[in-house]
Amino acid sequence: MSTHRAELGDFLKARRAQVTPEEVGLPPGGRRRTPGLRREELAQLAGVGVTWYTWLEQGRPINVSGQVLDAVAGTLRLTDPERAHLYRLAEATPLRPRSGVCASEPVLTEILTALDPLPAVITNTRFDIVKSNDAFSDLFHDWHTLPCVHKNLLWCIVTEPLARQQLLNYEDEVPYLVARLRTAYGEHIGDADWEEDLARLRKLSPEFAELWARHEVTDCTPRPRHVVHPTAGELHLTVTELSVPAHPDLVMFVETPTDALTRERLPLTRRSLEPAEA
């Protein structure tokens, strides 16, 4: 069984478990050993053979057409990013060509510098930090009290105790980041670096392991970030993700104040304003 097909089977099972019979017009029926639709129910609703669909969930090397994938996606009520993820796992669409990442490319450094005093950072789709401006480094300086395996946004949030304390909307932010990571993983299944990182993070963080097992995927969307800074106090920001056209594997995150008080307090996060140590 290929790694892609195994991931495809797990994704289909996870999504099937989230669709109730009532949602698709079926009677609730008696006791069910597992939540959601049965395989035969999904196959009937999608207009495919039960044996064929069973083989698909089992990861067998069977031919999969776009028309059939659309029928399955419609029955499972997949969102657009979930549908795209399904296609990638089924290897029914070409993978996006990868491009080299030049972390020191002058134009990227200039853009980040120009955005200061707005905190901004560039990461790859695995959330490894490629480059950040001083405003971002100052704002989240306290989130790095523990030794980092590598500089990674998601790792810092789920493994650093101070991040959990200071990120007020932690319960919303972490599932979102894991879903974004799962979306990107569809194009990197079998990549040794990705697989090693994911295995290590699942071992370090049971919370991440539980979220990862949900197989949730999502598109990028502007979102709030509420932070308590030790000097500036409570800050309310909006995180916007921007693509880097020359490097499809890079994402720029820019944080902007959502209210006047946060804009007024943001300069207080700068370490250059702190008293010099003796």
Side-chain angles (χ1 to χ4, degrees):
M1 182 191 303
S2 72
T3 308
H4 275 79
R5 287 304 173 102
E7 180 75 9
L8 172 62
D10 290 342
F11 177 71
L12 289 171
K13 292 172 190 173
R15 284 294 161 271
R16 180 164 57 84
Q18 295 183 9
V19 180
T20 65
E22 294 88 342
E23 288 177 312
V24 292
L26 295 177
R31 291 185 177 181
R32 290 173 176 260
R33 290 181 298 174
T34 57
L37 295 177
R38 300 186 178 99
R39 281 178 178 170
E40 56 269 22
E41 291 172 336
L42 190 148
Q44 180 182 4
L45 290 167
V48 300
V50 177
T51 300
W52 180 91
Y53 181 77
T54 300
W55 287 352
L56 186 65
E57 276 200 5
Q58 291 175 345
R60 298 197 188 189
I62 57 177
N63 293 326
V64 184
S65 69
Q67 183 178 4
V68 170
L69 285 177
D70 277 340
V72 171
T75 305
L76 291 175
R77 300 188 164 196
L78 300 186
T79 63
D80 287 343
E82 289 171 339
R83 186 183 296 262
H85 187 65
L86 173 67
Y87 265 78
R88 284 193 294 269
L89 295 181
E91 300 173 281
T93 53
L95 296 180
R96 183 177 62 186
R98 299 179 186 178
S99 61
V101 174
C102 180
S104 60
E105 188 168 334
V107 67
L108 297 182
T109 301
E110 186 174 352
I111 291 172
L112 285 175
T113 302
L115 285 169
D116 197 310
L118 296 180
V121 61
I122 293 176
T123 78
N124 58 20
T125 54
R126 196 172 56 189
F127 298 124
D128 295 330
I129 296 176
V130 175
K131 188 173 289 292
S132 61
N133 63 11
D134 290 341
F136 183 91
S137 299
D138 289 348
L139 177 58
F140 299 109
H141 172 71
D142 291 339
W143 291 22
H144 303 280
T145 62
L146 296 177
C148 292
V149 176
H150 51 220
K151 292 183 178 179
N152 181 286
L153 292 182
L154 182 57
W155 281 61
C156 288
I157 292 176
V158 300
T159 63
E160 170 58 60
L162 280 178
R164 187 183 297 268
Q165 295 172 19
Q166 296 178 2
L167 183 57
L168 297 180
N169 58 328
Y170 179 95
E171 299 301 328
D172 296 323
E173 179 74 355
V174 173
Y176 170 81
L177 291 176
V178 174
R180 293 287 293 135
L181 184 67
R182 173 66 80 172
T183 303
Y185 175 65
E187 298 184 7
H188 297 274
I189 295 174
D191 184 305
D193 288 339
W194 275 71
E195 300 294 352
E196 182 180 352
D197 264 6
L198 291 170
R200 189 181 301 146
L201 188 51
R202 284 196 298 268
K203 184 176 181 180
L204 283 174
S205 172
E207 176 186 24
F208 171 80
E210 189 274 328
L211 290 170
W212 186 252
R214 294 181 187 177
H215 287 264
E216 293 178 347
V217 295
T218 187
D219 271 338
C220 66
T221 180
R223 64 191 188 280
R225 175 171 288 168
H226 307 300
V227 178
V228 174
H229 187 272
T231 303
E234 194 166 313
L235 304 172
H236 302 281
L237 304 155
T238 297
V239 183
T240 303
E241 298 179 32
L242 306 173
S243 61
V244 182
H247 299 291
D249 280 343
L250 294 184
V251 180
M252 180 182 295
F253 297 85
V254 183
E255 313 212 8
T256 55
T258 59
D259 55 64
L261 184 57
T262 295
R263 192 174 297 277
E264 180 182 331
R265 290 175 172 176
L266 198 56
L268 298 176
T269 65
R270 306 310 294 262
R271 283 181 291 163
S272 59
L273 298 180
E274 296 176 357
E277 292 183 358

